[in-house]
Amino acid sequence: MKGIQYVAAGLALMVLQGPAQAGDLLGGLGRLMDGERDIGDVVEVVEGVNKAFAEPSREDELVIGREAAAILLGAVPAVENREAQRYVNRVGRWVARHTERPNLPWRFVILDSPDINAFAAPGGYVFITRGLLLQMESEAELAGVLAHETVHVLERHHMAAVQQGARLDLAIGVVGNSVNREQREQVAQIANGFKDLYARGLDKDDEFAADRKGVVIATRAGYDPYGLPAVLQTLAAMNPADSSLAFLFKTHPAPQERLERLAPAFDGLEAYAGELTVAERFQRNVGVLR
Amino acid sequence: MRRTLALLLLAMAAPIASAADKVVRASELKAEPFSDAATVATLAANSNVTVLAREGGWYRVTSQGREGWVRLFNIRRGDSAGGSSGLGEAAEFISTGRSGSSGVTVATGIRGLDAADVTRARPDYAALERTAGFSVDKVAAQRFARRAGLSSREIAYGVMKGGRSKGTEQAIPGVDW
């Protein structure tokens, strides 16, 4: 296959299938050029891609995320303190402005549980428990945790995990706000996939990626980059047998492992080390929840 | 009298330490929280320290009678199973109705959250609707940020070298949703 045909094929694929799948196919074609594979292999790759699930749309994501968020609120209610909730939303929305999806309908909720945990749902829902909030000492720490959760939304970690784990097609085909009966059934199935996912947790690699990118996002918003690491150190300092940590530790890598993964990557953020922690405003707004 | 008062004050100045904070590798104890500050001492790997406070990427610690600053990532905070300040434990019990180390749970009506709660949950759309009233728009968020002197900076994800994630590293340019 001549070079120009290779490029043309690549462009055509990118238009039809999207960059990620184009990459897979270009890789296959590259190997064909190198003589490693024959044409039969490439045809198989093309068919495999066509069999793969289609990409869910933004509307699909929002409908699925809404369902997942409703499940979490069915498990534990939101804290009934409007001012505290608004505060967390202000911090979260400011942080979210510094992501690649600033225009999602980001919504942040404090869950009324003494347990220590945080969750995200597709489309921009982020949850943090009262228990976790009360372990923090500054707005930079809160921003660090919220930023970590936004990465799960940005990278669509939950969508990918449910699609792969439960072998469900998340491209429901929602148009506008309306969901027909058949789609409602699909959503119900997907919701069960989310329940199982929240119960067991995401892949470790997804958590490490969320830590790494989350720290960058929080620092972009002007906060001290050590907010999230400080929270991880606080968790590491707690008695691991404390029941308020049980579910978190079941579903996430240990704080020490997360810190060890973050440490070598932090050199690049040294320049921002003096940024703001905003402790006083945090204590004022969160103190009411004690 | 003064001695009693001094002891009382010392006891009240509860450090954020737990019994088992250590340095994970040989680390410099600095006079101030900067890498080019004077070195007070070099702490051997696995030395015990008492963490007092944090400033940016540094902890203020005491170690064998000396006080100084150590990088946050050089500290391994140990769990408090080995013993923490009595005040801390009592406060935890009062606020949560649980005692961390003994595992006793007092029924106070405060909900815990575990895997079973999630798998058993029925979606609560009404509760979800109510949370809409908490959200703020981008403009309000920016005003809020300005009030604390927070300002945006541009930082590429690539600054965090030293690790790989399995997902795509690049944002799709031009896609804003």
Side-chain angles (χ1 to χ4, degrees), chain A residues 235-251:
Chain A
L235 298 182
M238 290 179 64
N239 184 345
D242 190 326
S243 53
S244 70
L245 286 171
F247 190 22
L248 182 80
F249 284 178
K250 181 173 174 259
T251 54

Side-chain angles (χ1 to χ4, degrees), chain A residues 67 98 100 103 114 203 220, chain B residues 111 125 152 155 157 166 176:
Chain A
E67 198 68 19
H98 299 82
E100 53 266 38
N103 293 322
D203 231 23
R220 286 175 185 165
Chain B
R111 288 208 58 184
Y125 303 108
S152 305
I155 309 171
Y157 288 131
K166 69 177 193 216
D176 175 53

Side-chain angles (χ1 to χ4, degrees), chain A residues 58 61 66-67 69-71 73-76 78-79 82 85-87 89-91 93-94 97-98 100-104 106-107 109 112-115 119 125 129 138-139 141 154-156 195-196 198-199 203 206 209 212-213 215-217 219-224 226-227 229-230 233 236-244 247 250 256 259-260 262-266 268-270 272-273 275-278 281, chain B residues 16 18 21 24-25 35 54-59 71-81 92 95-96 98-103 105 110-125 127-157 159-172 175-177:
Chain A
R58 185 179 193 266
E61 228 180 310
R66 183 172 179 272
E67 198 68 19
I71 284 165
L73 284 164
V76 57
V79 160
R82 184 181 165 76
Q85 295 280 13
R86 297 275 286 177
Y87 170 71
N89 271 271
R90 288 186 189 105
V91 178
R93 197 66 208 263
W94 172 244
R97 276 189 69 141
H98 299 82
E100 53 266 38
R101 302 181 78 187
N103 293 322
L104 281 176
W106 292 97
R107 204 183 293 183
V109 181
D112 200 353
S113 170
D115 284 359
F119 304 90
Y125 294 95
T129 61
S138 71
E139 200 168 290
E141 294 187 18
L154 301 168
E155 298 283 301
R156 299 174 177 83
K195 284 186 186 180
D196 291 342
Y198 285 134
D203 231 23
D206 290 345
R212 221 170 23 248
K213 292 192 172 185
V215 166
V216 172
I217 293 166
T219 311
R220 286 175 185 165
Y223 290 104
D224 160 27
Y226 285 90
Q233 288 282 25
M238 290 179 64
N239 184 345
D242 190 326
S243 53
S244 70
F247 190 22
K250 181 173 174 259
Q256 276 310 330
L259 284 161
E260 277 159 29
L262 270 176
F266 243 76
L269 288 173
E270 269 312 299
Y272 306 98
E275 298 307 332
L276 302 177
T277 54
V278 194
R281 176 162 77 179
Chain B
I16 60 174
S18 59
D21 294 337
V24 282
R25 56 187 72 86
S35 41
R54 178 176 78 89
E55 189 166 307
W58 299 83
Y59 279 125
R71 285 185 168 282
L72 178 146
F73 283 115
N74 284 346
I75 299 286
R76 185 186 187 94
R77 303 214 58 193
D79 63 74
S80 58
E92 187 193 322
S95 64
T96 66
R98 298 163 190 238
S99 168
S101 47
S102 75
T105 302
I110 301 170
R111 288 208 58 184
L113 171 60
D114 62 16
D117 290 322
V118 178
T119 48
R120 278 195 310 245
R122 313 228 50 184
D124 190 340
Y125 303 108
L128 186 60
E129 278 315 298
R130 286 196 296 275
T131 66
F134 303 147
S135 60
V136 304
D137 63 48
K138 288 197 295 186
V139 174
Q142 175 149 51
R143 279 202 305 268
F144 168 80
R146 291 234 167 88
R147 282 201 287 275
L150 292 159
S151 52
S152 305
R153 45 209 21 101
E154 287 202 16
I155 309 171
Y157 288 131
V159 300
M160 298 295 274
K161 291 192 258 300
R164 284 187 316 276
S165 71
K166 69 177 193 216
T168 174
E169 288 288 337
Q170 273 132 20
I172 302 166
V175 176
D176 175 53
W177 48 267

Side-chain angles (χ1 to χ4, degrees), chain A residues 10-274:
Chain A
L11 285 171
L13 289 165
M14 207 176 290
V15 167
L16 291 170
Q17 300 285 359
Q21 286 147 328
D24 288 339
L25 281 158
L26 284 173
L29 290 166
R31 285 193 286 281
L32 180 70
M33 279 176 67
D34 292 344
E36 274 180 51
R37 310 267 293 261
D38 66 19
I39 191 73
D41 289 357
V42 178
V43 168
E44 208 179 300
V45 170
V46 171
E47 284 180 353
V49 165
N50 286 337
K51 281 191 197 118
F53 295 134
E55 202 68 25
S57 69
R58 185 179 193 266
E59 281 84 1
D60 293 333
E61 228 180 310
L62 291 174
V63 165
I64 290 167
R66 183 172 179 272
E67 198 68 19
I71 284 165
L72 288 170
L73 284 164
V76 57
V79 160
E80 281 186 22
N81 183 309
R82 184 181 165 76
E83 278 316 306
Q85 295 280 13
R86 297 275 286 177
Y87 170 71
V88 166
N89 271 271
R90 288 186 189 105
V91 178
R93 197 66 208 263
W94 172 244
V95 164
R97 276 189 69 141
H98 299 82
T99 67
E100 53 266 38
R101 302 181 78 187
N103 293 322
L104 281 176
W106 292 97
R107 204 183 293 183
F108 301 83
V109 181
I110 312 170
L111 295 175
D112 200 353
S113 170
D115 284 359
I116 292 170
N117 224 322
F119 304 90
Y125 294 95
V126 172
F127 298 87
I128 180 171
T129 61
R130 177 206 291 254
L132 176 51
L133 201 50
L134 293 180
Q135 288 294 332
M136 298 173 179
E137 293 172 17
S138 71
E139 200 168 290
E141 294 187 18
L142 173 60
V145 170
L146 296 181
H148 167 107
E149 295 304 324
T150 66
V151 178
H152 290 316
V153 174
L154 301 168
E155 298 283 301
R156 299 174 177 83
H157 287 153
H158 296 85
M159 298 286 283
V162 169
Q163 186 168 311
Q164 285 155 31
R167 296 298 296 164
L168 288 170
D169 188 355
L170 269 54
I172 309 166
V174 173
V175 174
N177 284 325
S178 58
V179 179
N180 66 34
R181 179 187 289 264
E182 189 195 322
Q183 289 168 335
R184 243 190 291 277
E185 280 165 19
Q186 281 180 282
V187 170
Q189 266 196 306
I190 292 165
N192 283 332
F194 269 82
K195 284 186 186 180
D196 291 342
L197 177 61
Y198 285 134
R200 73 172 181 269
L202 288 165
D203 231 23
K204 265 189 176 192
D205 283 341
D206 290 345
E207 296 296 349
F208 296 139
D211 283 341
R212 221 170 23 248
K213 292 192 172 185
V215 166
V216 172
I217 293 166
T219 311
R220 286 175 185 165
Y223 290 104
D224 160 27
Y226 285 90
L228 177 61
V231 175
L232 293 173
Q233 288 282 25
T234 299
L235 298 182
M238 290 179 64
N239 184 345
D242 190 326
S243 53
S244 70
L245 286 171
F247 190 22
L248 182 80
F249 284 178
K250 181 173 174 259
T251 54
H252 290 70
Q256 276 310 330
E257 195 185 355
R258 294 169 70 173
L259 284 161
E260 277 159 29
R261 294 270 181 152
L262 270 176
F266 243 76
D267 292 342
L269 288 173
E270 269 312 299
Y272 306 98

